[in-house]
């Protein structure tokens, strides 16, 4: 039930111990979703990101907060249509119990980790909102979003590249180590200057970009900016373990 075709057949290796998907040789469950998006994914992301334009237009048209809802629906519909047209792949409703078990064994820890990550990222909002009130929650949420910008919008995109790249090197520990250190260096070049710049220029940044009314959140932003550096640096650790088949 387990297949590990050579890289020359697939273009990249399959993570050790991960089940191959029928009809897609050597593609692991995580690799299929993260490392190798279907053709058209980039175009879909580009078009769906235009939801900001849709939101602004709706807001100026008097839709208020509902403009955000309509923008999200617009993004989802556009992304689905573009991927459907450009991917060339069509889903087939066929269930295989053995494959489902294999994928569950590999993915259950990833699911639990993602759930814990969601709780970690949102628990602060719950506590601040309940204890300090909605005004403090607004300052905290803005500071959190700014501090995690590199890990969310830059490093998060790189994650999809790290996994298949590391998978190709799973049987060469030395090459995998060098690739990991290179990825860590690249992440550091982005996240460390950004974090320290936000730490040093927090009041000025908030005043210029968001206005005087957001200045009370500058101290929180400074603290979270340092935490954002470590959050970004940890972005390349997970793909190494996943590439080695160690999802646990």
């Amino acid at each position: 039930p387990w297949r590990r075709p050579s890289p020359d057949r697939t273009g990249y290796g399959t993570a050790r111990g991960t089940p191959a998907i029928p009809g897609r040789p050597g593609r692991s469950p995580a690799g299929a979703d993260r490392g190798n998006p279907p053709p058209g994914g980039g175009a879909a992301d580009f078009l769906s990101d235009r939801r900001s334009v849709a939101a602004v237009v709706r807001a100026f048209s008097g839709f208020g907060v509902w403009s955000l809802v309509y923008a999200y629906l617009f993004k989802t519909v556009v992304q689905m249509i573009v991927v459907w047209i450009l991917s060339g792949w069509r889903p087939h409703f066929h269930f295989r119990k053995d494959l489902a078990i294999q994928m569950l064994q590999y993915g259950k820890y990833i699911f639990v980790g993602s759930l814990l990550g969601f709780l970690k990222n949102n628990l602060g909002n719950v506590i601040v909102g309940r204890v300090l009130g909605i005004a403090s929650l607004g300052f905290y949420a803005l500071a959190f979003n700014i501090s995690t910008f590199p890990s969310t919008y830059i490093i998060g995109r790189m994650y999809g590249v790290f996994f298949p790249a590391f998978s190709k090197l799973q049987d060469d520990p030395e090459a995998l180590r060098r690739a990991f250190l290179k990825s860590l260096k690249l992440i550091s070049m982005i996240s460390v200057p950004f974090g320290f710049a936000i730490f040093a220029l927090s009041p000025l940044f908030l005043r210029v970009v968001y206005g005087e009314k957001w200045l009370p959140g500058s101290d929180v932003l400074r603290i979270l900016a340092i935490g954002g550096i470590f959050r970004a640096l940890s972005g390349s650790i997970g793909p190494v373990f996943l590439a080695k088949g160690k999802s646990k």
Side-chain angles (χ1 to χ4, degrees):
W2 304 91
R3 294 181 293 167
R4 294 187 65 237
S6 60
D8 59 343
R9 289 182 57 193
T10 62
Y12 55 90
T14 303
R16 187 189 308 276
T18 59
I21 297 177
R24 321 257 318 181
R27 183 160 295 186
S28 66
D33 293 335
R34 291 180 178 271
N36 296 274
D45 288 342
F46 174 79
L47 291 176
S48 64
D49 283 344
R50 305 309 100 189
R51 70 181 188 270
S52 299
V53 177
V56 172
V57 171
R58 292 282 183 176
F60 277 104
S61 299
F63 284 87
V65 71
W66 281 99
S67 60
L68 300 176
V69 178
Y70 292 131
Y72 179 80
L73 294 177
F74 173 79
K75 167 209 168 183
T76 304
V77 172
V78 170
Q79 186 173 18
M80 179 186 66
I81 293 175
V82 173
V83 171
W84 181 271
I85 294 175
L86 298 182
S87 67
W89 176 81
R90 300 293 180 265
H92 298 283
F93 298 97
H94 177 69
F95 180 77
R96 281 187 52 183
K97 182 178 179 181
D98 58 335
L99 180 60
I101 293 176
Q102 294 175 33
M103 296 182 69
L104 179 62
Q105 291 296 322
Y106 179 80
K108 60 184 179 182
Y109 299 110
I110 300 177
F111 170 76
V112 173
S114 298
L115 181 61
L116 293 177
F118 173 81
L119 295 176
K120 178 192 69 174
N121 291 335
N122 292 276
L123 187 60
N125 293 334
V126 176
I127 295 176
V128 172
R130 293 278 295 182
V131 176
L132 301 179
I134 190 171
S136 297
L137 176 59
F139 295 131
Y140 172 81
L142 178 65
F144 183 85
N145 290 336
I146 295 173
S147 66
T148 58
F149 180 84
S151 58
T152 301
Y153 295 99
I154 302 177
I155 312 303
R157 300 290 184 178
M158 295 180 181
Y159 185 96
V161 178
F162 291 155
F163 178 74
F166 293 160
S167 294
K168 291 178 62 176
L169 306 174
Q170 59 182 271
D171 294 322
D172 189 342
E174 181 60 26
L176 181 60
R177 184 186 71 84
R178 291 196 302 268
F180 170 73
L181 292 178
K182 287 182 179 179
S183 68
L184 199 61
K185 180 180 179 180
L186 177 61
I187 293 174
S188 300
M189 292 173 60
I190 299 173
S191 61
V192 173
F194 180 88
F196 281 110
I198 292 297
F199 177 84
L201 303 174
S202 174
L204 177 63
F205 177 81
L206 290 177
R207 181 182 295 109
V208 172
V209 178
Y210 294 96
E212 295 281 345
K213 63 181 179 181
W214 292 98
L215 284 179
S218 60
D219 291 337
V220 177
L221 179 56
R222 280 175 169 164
I223 297 174
L224 294 180
I226 300 301
I229 296 176
F230 294 99
R231 176 188 291 267
L233 292 177
S234 65
S236 61
I237 298 177
V240 174
F241 287 98
L242 293 179
K244 298 289 289 184
K246 300 178 180 179
S247 60
K248 184 175 181 179

